């Protein structure tokens, strides 16, 4: 027999409908098995649900469970030493000569077993779960050879087997040029990146294809070749675009119907319009903006004006965003980027689900998964307002046991 239960709370933020919390006072959520079957005000509860077992959450607020739509949580080692060197005045070259930078993570990741990668990722995943995360995206991209890229993706898949969380993977072979291909980015794309994508896809390890389009990474024409391969395999694409400069990456991604373009600090009007036409989500990553000491903020006003949905994510990675808090991400989205607390909450629920192409989570509505977070707050703005405080009371993943 499927489990039936009624949850009751002072307020439920359904996130139904864009631009609003979808707040319901004295709210009821009816759950059957893993699915929400009814949500509304207690006074409107249909008679068929009235004798279901009930759990009363009192004064609390229920929201959709949180979704982190952009992470690199699978990697080995960390870059604290490099962080310290830089703050002691070391130059970029000195850091690089001491083995720092993204390639130091590649070296550590290549040397790590699948079990070790999983074990290293779990504390980061647990930190996200502790704040109500029910779904995370996880990228490859620190292997940059076939074997290690596959190992990263297998470790990512295993997270969902040993933790109650949904994992969506992205193949990020086009993240950086590995040392053995220095100066030969085109050869890396043809000889390693695309063949590895095909192998990983055949193993069922890839949900979407990502790339890093930037002067220090890959040019638009190289990304286009990877996206052509993704299209041939029937895989959706997304892109790290316009983070440090404007190469027209978001427009390119939009021409492939991208799920999202991420970072987008340097996005221009043309890019915003292209994203709006394609229905791409802008995934904003204030943790990287903060860590790198950037000053150019993403064009939030333009995105709003053109109706481009904005998601917020941690970008959890060892270099530019060693952050494992979606609540802090929400706060930063507001304080650093000028988003409203409503936009911040939509950014880690409704719009994050859209950025991952997930049609069954991210809002509280009949037919959606019962992925919920119960908070010890009365006003949803508190979730963005506080810094370093976790008011999570309970996380509900696919219904109650
Ligand atoms: N953008 C970033 O900021 C990171 N990757 C990316 O595509 C940097 C990753 C790292 O430094 O390890
Ligand atoms: Fe990233």
């Amino acid at each position: 027999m499927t489990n039936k239960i009624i949850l009751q709370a002072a307020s439920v933020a359904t996130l139904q409908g864009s631009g609003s919390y979808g707040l319901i006072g004295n709210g009821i959520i009816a759950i059957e098995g893993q699915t929400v079957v009814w949500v509304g005000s207690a006074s409107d509860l249909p008679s068929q649900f009235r004798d279901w077992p009930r759990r009363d959450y009192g004064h609390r607020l229920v929201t959709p469970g949180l979704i982190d739509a952009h992470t690199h949580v699978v990697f080995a080692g960390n870059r604290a030493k490099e962080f310290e060197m830089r703050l002691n005045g070391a130059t970029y070259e000195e850091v690089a000569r001491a083995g720092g930078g993204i390639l130091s993570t590649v070296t550590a990741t290549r040397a790590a077993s699948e079990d070790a990668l999983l074990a290293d990722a779990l504390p980061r995943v647990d930190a996200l779960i502790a704040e109500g995360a029910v779904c995370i995206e996880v990228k490859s991209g620190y292997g940059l050879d076939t074997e290690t890229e596959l190992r990263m993706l297998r470790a990512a898949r295993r997270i969902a087997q040993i933790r109650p969380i949904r994992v969506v993977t992205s193949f990020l072979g086009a993240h950086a040029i590995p040392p053995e291909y220095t100066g030969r980015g085109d050869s890396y794309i043809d000889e390693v990146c695309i063949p590895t994508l095909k192998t990983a896809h055949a193993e069922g390890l890839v949900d979407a294809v990502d790339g890093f389009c930037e002067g220090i990474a890959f040019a638009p024409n190289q990304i286009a070749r990877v996206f052509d391969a993704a299209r041939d395999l029937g895989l959706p694409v997304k892109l790290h675009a316009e983070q440090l400069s404007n190469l027209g990456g978001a427009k390119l991604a939009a021409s492939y119907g991208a799920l999202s373009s991420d970072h987008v600090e340097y996005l221009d009007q043309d890019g915003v319009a292209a994203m709006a036409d394609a229905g791409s989500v802008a995934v904003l990553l204030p943790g990287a903006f903060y860590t790198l000491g950037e000053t150019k903020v993403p064009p939030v006003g333009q995105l709003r004006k053109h109706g481009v949905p904005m998601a917020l994510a941690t970008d959890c990675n060892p270099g530019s965003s060693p952050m494992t808090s979606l609540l802090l991400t929400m706060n930063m989205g507001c304080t650093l980027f000028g988003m409203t607390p409503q936009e911040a909450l939509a950014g880690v629920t409704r719009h994050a689900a859209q950025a991952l192409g997930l049609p069954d989570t991210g809002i509280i509505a009949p037919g959606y998964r019962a992925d919920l977070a119960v908070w010890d707050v009365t006003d949803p703005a508190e979730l963005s307002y506080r810094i370093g405080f976790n008011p999570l009371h309970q996380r509900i993943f696919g219904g109650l046991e």
Side-chain angles (χ1 to χ4, degrees):
M1 230 196 65
T2 25
N3 230 6
K4 295 175 174 177
I5 192 156
I6 295 263
L7 311 184
Q8 183 160 12
S11 45
V12 175
T14 65
L15 275 296
Q16 285 184 34
S18 58
S20 123
Y21 288 118
L23 266 188
I24 297 172
N26 200 9
I28 295 259
I29 304 168
I31 300 170
E32 188 163 0
Q34 300 201 318
T35 311
V36 171
V37 291
W38 191 85
V39 59
S41 185
S43 54
D44 299 332
L45 185 67
S47 55
Q48 76 219 65
F49 301 117
R50 287 204 186 125
D51 54 2
W52 284 22
R54 201 176 278 231
R55 185 170 302 193
D56 191 351
Y57 286 109
H59 63 281
R60 298 186 177 91
L61 166 77
V62 184
T63 68
L66 306 190
I67 299 171
D68 195 344
H70 182 137
T71 90
H72 308 247
V73 291
V74 172
F75 62 83
N78 71 65
R79 310 236 287 273
K81 194 93 236 139
E82 161 185 338
F83 176 74
E84 189 167 33
M85 278 178 75
R86 273 193 280 115
L87 287 164
N88 278 299
T91 63
Y92 183 80
E93 282 73 25
E94 283 163 344
V95 170
R97 259 188 277 116
I102 190 165
L103 292 179
S104 78
T105 301
V106 172
T107 304
T109 303
R110 286 178 173 181
S113 68
E114 187 182 313
D115 285 350
L117 288 175
L118 180 64
D120 278 8
L122 285 180
R124 299 188 270 272
V125 173
D126 287 341
L128 292 165
I129 286 175
E131 287 187 350
V134 292
C135 177
I136 55 172
E137 185 254 18
V138 181
K139 301 174 194 298
S140 70
Y142 287 118
L144 310 178
D145 62 29
T146 302
E147 206 188 312
T148 316
E149 287 292 304
L150 293 174
R151 202 157 68 240
M152 286 185 74
L153 292 167
R154 290 187 196 120
R157 283 276 191 249
R158 279 175 63 194
I159 291 170
Q161 292 163 11
I162 57 174
R163 287 292 189 272
I165 193 163
R166 189 166 177 183
V167 170
V168 177
T169 60
S170 297
F171 174 77
L172 182 55
H175 190 197
I177 299 170
E180 60 275 20
Y181 277 91
T182 302
R184 296 187 298 130
D186 283 323
S187 305
Y188 169 73
I189 295 287
D190 294 337
E191 293 166 17
V192 180
C193 185
I194 291 173
T196 303
L197 167 59
K198 290 179 181 165
T199 308
H201 171 65
E203 251 194 63
L205 293 172
V206 184
D207 297 323
V209 175
D210 197 352
F212 188 16
C213 187
E214 198 58 65
I216 56 165
F218 294 94
N221 70 310
Q222 294 171 323
I223 295 294
R225 299 219 305 279
V226 178
F227 282 2
D228 286 338
R231 180 183 273 171
D232 289 346
L233 298 171
L235 290 169
V237 302
K238 56 176 69 175
L239 191 62
H240 288 70
E242 275 73 273
Q243 181 188 4
L244 308 167
S245 63
N246 183 356
L247 298 184
K251 197 170 175 179
L252 170 77
S255 75
Y256 286 83
L259 287 170
S260 69
S261 278
D262 303 26
H263 289 288
V264 300
E265 278 86 343
Y266 285 81
L267 186 67
D268 60 18
Q269 287 225 18
D270 234 28
V272 174
M275 288 183 69
D277 287 345
S280 299
V281 176
V283 179
L284 307 184
L285 306 168
F289 173 90
Y290 168 84
T291 302
L292 298 175
E294 293 288 325
T295 52
K296 183 149 172 52
V297 298
V300 166
Q302 285 292 323
L303 292 167
R304 243 181 228 146
K305 193 170 136 206
H306 284 79
V308 176
M310 292 179 278
L312 275 169
T314 62
D315 195 15
C316 175
N317 77 67
S320 65
S321 190
M323 176 157 84
T324 47
S325 170
L326 276 169
L327 290 171
L328 180 56
T329 301
M330 290 167 72
N331 174 266
M332 287 178 164
C334 295
T335 52
L336 298 175
F337 292 168
M339 294 170 77
T340 67
Q342 188 281 328
E343 288 171 331
L345 184 57
V348 295
T349 55
R350 179 190 174 92
H351 294 153
Q354 194 178 334
L356 297 180
L358 298 175
D360 61 348
T361 190
I363 68 171
I364 305 176
Y368 281 71
R369 278 174 58 87
D371 290 339
L372 309 169
V374 185
W375 306 95
D376 256 317
V377 306
T378 50
D379 183 335
E382 281 182 63
L383 300 176
S384 293
Y385 155 74
R386 302 178 95 151
I387 304 169
F389 181 77
N390 180 5
L392 185 74
H393 173 72
Q394 191 181 345
R395 189 190 76 121
I396 297 170
F397 179 66
L400 283 166
E401 306 287 279

